[in-house]
Amino acid sequence: MATLIVHGGAGRWDRGISRAEVDSGLERAIAAGWRALGGGALAAVVAAVAALEDDPLFNAGTGAVRNSAGGVELDAGVMSATGLRVGAVAGMTDTTNPVRVARSVLEDGRHALLAGAGASHFAAETGLPLAGHERLEAMARPVSGAAGDTVGAVCRDPAGDLAVAVSTGGTPGKLPGRIGDSALCGAGFYADTPGAACATGQGEAFIRLAGCRRAIELLAAGMDAPTAARGLIEELRERVGGEGGIIVVDAAGRPGVAHSTPAMPWAWRTDRDAARWG
Ligand code: GLY
């Protein structure tokens, strides 16, 4: 069975944002991911997250929020359970699709995480388009303009592979140089034989808990995806006082979604059915 889940970021989505626009952004991401599913779970999650990066409604890629210096620094990560392959980038300032650079880091295989100018240099050498620093900053949202935090996707493909992709502009008004959980394997994303997990919310809390790795441990202990998602968000609050959300798919393809923030737009699709937030 195939399952694809996407989210548009934990936060507040009641401040003059059209629900219909959010839902069509999620639907475009699900459609892009589902179309790419023939290439496997990793291709599906990268396509879904790239679609969300291209939508200015979401805090990632094109719609990223500014940091305290008025600049934009983007983090993204991808992981495949098969071979525990991982790729991530941090602090990128000149691409609207950092998730594609993260995938190239994974495919290249020499490193797990590239940051800043080194990530840009790698992207250029790999032939990935760079948007230009000025263009990205011109498109960025003001610190007060973010409804949510981070976009992400998890997938179980028909062959049983599990994958995750995540991308973010980070927390609004963050200090320049701050790297969040979305660049850090185990904190903001993880995939292994029991399932795949993707986090959104207070990155520092997910880093302290190694939140997505912890969600996979809950699956390995016998929980299904909905129970593990709820358990992880409870642990986040109880152990490190954090707020956020998580999407989880388990090895059987069951979808799990949980959040402690007022809202977190999400949608999922399987071979049999589909659902979305609210
Ligand atoms: N959860 C995204 C971040 O804190 O950067």
Side-chain angles (χ1 to χ4, degrees), residues 8-76:
R12 298 198 64 97
W13 287 88
D14 57 355
R15 296 179 179 157
I17 293 169
S18 142
R19 165 79 193 239
E21 273 185 67
V22 177
D23 284 347
S24 53
L26 294 174
E27 277 313 310
R28 275 193 298 275
I30 287 279
W34 205 260
R35 275 196 305 274
L37 197 53
L42 183 61
V45 291
V46 169
V49 167
L52 293 165
E53 288 177 334
D54 290 343
D55 189 331
L57 207 54
F58 301 103
N59 177 12
T62 311
V65 289
R66 295 179 194 279
N67 63 21
S68 63
V72 181
E73 293 178 318
L74 307 179
D75 299 339

Side-chain angles (χ1 to χ4, degrees), residues 149-150 168 170-171 178 180-182 201-203:
D149 150 285
T150 308
T168 190
T171 50
R178 179 261 191 189
D181 60 314
S182 303
Q202 293 169 352

Side-chain angles (χ1 to χ4, degrees), residues 77-90:
V78 299
M79 185 166 189
S80 164
T82 303
L84 297 179
R85 295 185 306 146
V86 64
V89 293

